Amino acid sequence: MSESPVPHEPPIYRRIADGLRARILAGELRDGDRLPGENALMAEYAIARATARQALAVLINEGLAVPRRGSGVYVRLFKPIRRHGARRLSREQWGQGRAIWDADTHGRPFTVDHLEVARERASEHVAGILDSAEVWARRRRYSVDARPVQLAASYFPAHLVQDSAITLTDTGPGGVYARLGDLGAAPAHFTEEVRARMPQPRESALLDLPGGTPVIAITRTAYTSGGLPVEVNEMVLDSAAYVLQYDFDA
Amino acid sequence: MSESPVPHEPPIYRRIADGLRARILAGELRDGDRLPGENALMAEYAIARATARQALAVLINEGLAVPRRGSGVYVRLFKPIRRHGARRLSREQWGQGRAIWDADTHGRPFTVDHLEVARERASEHVAGILDSAEVWARRRRYSVDARPVQLAASYFPAHLVQDSAITLTDTGPGGVYARLGDLGAAPAHFTEEVRARMPQPRESALLDLPGGTPVIAITRTAYTSGGLPVEVNEMVLDSAAYVLQYDFDA
């Protein structure tokens, strides 16, 4: 076991980023303001262009700033969505006819700006989980504060949900989970698998991601109290827009 | 609400990546094997170099392959660690003197190859959570199958753990949570905040990350049954090495 190689003094680009971040968070630099450019940072700190670029990249990757081609880097404030793993899926939430998204956004306006509902052959992965070759798929994109933040594709066994409102654009109060309840297949247990990776080009385009922003990929499976899997939901989240919170007991 | 723009036919680079992935997972291409190079892919599929590079980048970012400078891209098989949010922190685990890591790796060998224990001033963030300006910090790096996979820094209120084994390199059976129990401050509740972002250069170096690999950053706070925060653990995970799993009820 060797001594830790962890340095305690952060590198210069990070100290510059820390300073800019503090000014943003203190409200001194505001939404839409232009950040000091590479040339200004080079002159002020006597650093190379690559170092100045690195400092700005930190804020871009954190989702606090956004580059505009040929124009500079601008403050883009976006309060991260705190996505609470368990509370948002409690039966109280959808059992009362409330949308699960209300629990995430705490009243911030969100929109579903793309929605596609189709019966189709399941991918091998989804077919394996649901034990069903045919599924109803619900694909949508969610935006918050007019910013796209999440793509989601939910799959349901076709034989279970055929002729239910789950196959319609408007699923009614409480959404798909309330409708699964109507079918005697209310979700009782959830498993979420969380991964992080770089986006596919299609995902970058649909989420309007600046370069170098990873996504969080969540695969959630919903099970009835009897252990029957009734939904697989594959979600792709803009990592700069989200904090996932999970609470549990020892 | 417009029609979904989601295309159903994946782009060519992704189909190439899918094919190579299938060959890796089927065992036809094995750990350490060289993947077809850019020139070979260009000739075989009549594609541009950028497209061939994109196909290989998919496998690199998924952690299935690793580039070696000037030599090509090689299969690097590494079974992802399934990190189970709740089960691994159950009292049964550390109460029996078992290491929390055993729950993650299911017997795969893991090592702590850097460890630093120090009393220090807390960062503003940590001081705010623990309500303590002075902390004991435990910083370590974990490796599995000789590959570094996680950096972790745990902080404890100095007044609480001073003179306990938590300030020593070897914390004894059951580790820090068992020792907190000895102090009458056993963790009863945990909150994990999960984010994804690009690594800092220091993190890239310590985790030996190929370019373009994001990290998962987890901040976990441990609370006693009385609601007292007794530990903040800031973890940075190689995203290609991990799947996080969280289970909960409706």
Side-chain angles (χ1 to χ4, degrees):
Chain A
M1 190 169 301
S2 66
E3 207 180 319
S4 166
V6 180
H8 289 275
E9 179 74 4
I12 176 74
Y13 79 90
R14 185 149 285 276
R15 278 179 284 147
I16 296 171
D18 290 346
L20 290 172
R21 188 192 305 105
R23 290 173 62 192
I24 293 171
L25 297 181
E28 188 189 326
L29 286 164
R30 304 167 69 130
D31 206 17
D33 280 359
R34 191 176 181 284
L35 290 178
E38 291 173 12
N39 292 331
L41 293 175
M42 289 163 70
E44 182 174 353
Y45 296 97
I47 53 175
R49 182 171 303 278
T51 308
R53 196 167 292 163
Q54 242 182 330
L56 294 169
V58 168
L59 300 173
I60 292 168
N61 288 339
E62 289 177 351
L64 287 174
V66 63
R68 297 199 194 134
R69 197 177 296 272
S71 158
V73 176
Y74 291 80
V75 177
R76 174 167 75 166
L77 285 181
F78 182 84
K79 192 169 171 297
I81 300 165
R82 182 166 290 264
R83 178 184 181 280
H84 192 294
R87 192 184 307 151
R88 67 198 293 276
L89 288 170
S90 73
R91 190 181 288 262
E92 281 168 51
Q93 191 67 20
W94 46 266
Q96 308 279 323
R98 280 195 291 257
I100 285 166
W101 271 70
D102 289 346
D104 287 342
T105 59
H106 303 286
R108 286 161 84 187
F110 75 91
T111 52
V112 177
D113 53 8
H114 293 297
L115 172 66
E116 185 193 59
V117 185
R119 185 183 163 119
E120 60 188 41
R121 269 198 81 76
S123 72
E124 204 173 319
H125 177 237
V126 168
I129 297 174
L130 294 178
D131 194 20
S132 178
E134 291 277 319
V135 291
W136 275 89
R138 300 180 62 86
R139 293 189 173 80
R140 57 255 186 237
R141 183 176 79 172
Y142 293 95
S143 292
V144 170
D145 298 349
R147 167 179 165 161
V149 293
Q150 182 183 140
L151 310 176
S154 282
Y155 303 96
F156 304 87
H159 60 84
L160 176 65
V161 303
Q162 189 68 42
D163 304 322
S164 79
I166 290 173
T167 67
L168 306 178
T169 303
D170 181 357
T171 53
V176 294
Y177 291 155
R179 294 300 81 70
L180 283 173
D182 299 344
L183 294 167
H189 310 292
F190 296 94
T191 292
E192 293 198 342
E193 290 186 347
V194 179
R195 293 172 175 82
R197 58 173 171 76
M198 295 315 286
Q200 302 169 12
R202 174 189 151 269
E203 295 165 343
S204 279
L206 287 172
L207 291 173
D208 194 17
L209 297 176
T213 302
V215 292
I216 299 174
I218 306 178
T219 300
R220 180 175 67 229
T221 307
Y223 299 88
T224 64
S225 58
L228 187 74
V230 289
E231 183 207 23
V232 174
N233 190 349
E234 296 185 334
M235 293 161 270
V236 176
L237 285 59
D238 174 355
S239 66
Y242 275 94
V243 179
L244 314 186
Q245 182 177 331
Y246 295 96
D247 300 330
F248 42 90
D249 294 330
Chain B
M1 190 167 301
S2 66
E3 207 180 321
S4 166
V6 180
H8 289 273
E9 179 73 3
I12 176 75
Y13 80 90
R14 183 151 285 277
R15 278 178 284 148
I16 296 171
D18 289 347
L20 290 172
R21 187 192 305 104
R23 290 172 63 192
I24 293 171
L25 297 180
E28 187 189 329
L29 287 164
R30 304 167 70 129
D31 207 16
D33 280 358
R34 190 176 181 284
L35 290 178
E38 292 174 11
N39 292 332
L41 293 176
M42 288 163 69
E44 182 173 353
Y45 296 97
I47 52 175
R49 182 170 303 279
T51 307
R53 196 169 291 162
Q54 242 181 331
L56 294 170
V58 168
L59 301 173
I60 292 168
N61 288 338
E62 288 176 352
L64 287 174
V66 62
R68 297 198 194 134
R69 198 178 296 272
S71 159
V73 176
Y74 291 80
V75 177
R76 174 168 75 166
L77 284 181
F78 183 84
K79 193 170 170 296
I81 300 165
R82 182 166 290 265
R83 179 184 181 279
H84 193 293
R87 192 185 306 151
R88 66 199 294 276
L89 288 170
S90 72
R91 189 180 289 262
E92 281 167 51
Q93 191 67 20
W94 46 266
Q96 308 280 323
R98 280 195 291 256
I100 286 166
W101 270 70
D102 289 345
D104 287 342
T105 58
H106 302 285
R108 284 161 85 187
F110 74 91
T111 52
V112 177
D113 52 9
H114 293 298
L115 172 66
E116 185 194 60
V117 185
R119 185 182 164 120
E120 60 188 41
R121 271 197 79 74
S123 72
E124 205 173 319
H125 177 237
V126 168
I129 297 174
L130 294 178
D131 194 20
S132 179
E134 292 276 320
V135 292
W136 275 89
R138 301 180 62 86
R139 292 188 175 81
R140 57 253 187 243
R141 184 176 79 171
Y142 294 95
S143 292
V144 170
D145 298 350
R147 166 178 166 161
V149 293
Q150 182 182 140
L151 310 176
S154 282
Y155 304 97
F156 304 86
H159 59 86
L160 176 65
V161 304
Q162 189 68 43
D163 304 323
S164 79
I166 291 173
T167 67
L168 306 178
T169 302
D170 181 357
T171 53
V176 294
Y177 291 154
R179 295 299 80 71
L180 283 172
D182 298 345
L183 294 167
H189 310 291
F190 296 94
T191 292
E192 293 199 342
E193 290 185 347
V194 179
R195 293 172 176 81
R197 58 173 171 75
M198 296 313 288
Q200 301 169 12
R202 173 189 152 269
E203 295 165 344
S204 278
L206 287 172
L207 291 173
D208 193 17
L209 297 175
T213 302
V215 291
I216 299 174
I218 305 178
T219 300
R220 181 175 66 229
T221 307
Y223 300 87
T224 64
S225 57
L228 187 74
V230 290
E231 182 207 25
V232 174
N233 190 348
E234 296 185 334
M235 292 161 270
V236 176
L237 285 59
D238 174 354
S239 66
Y242 275 95
V243 180
L244 314 186
Q245 182 177 332
Y246 295 96
D247 299 330
F248 42 90
D249 294 332

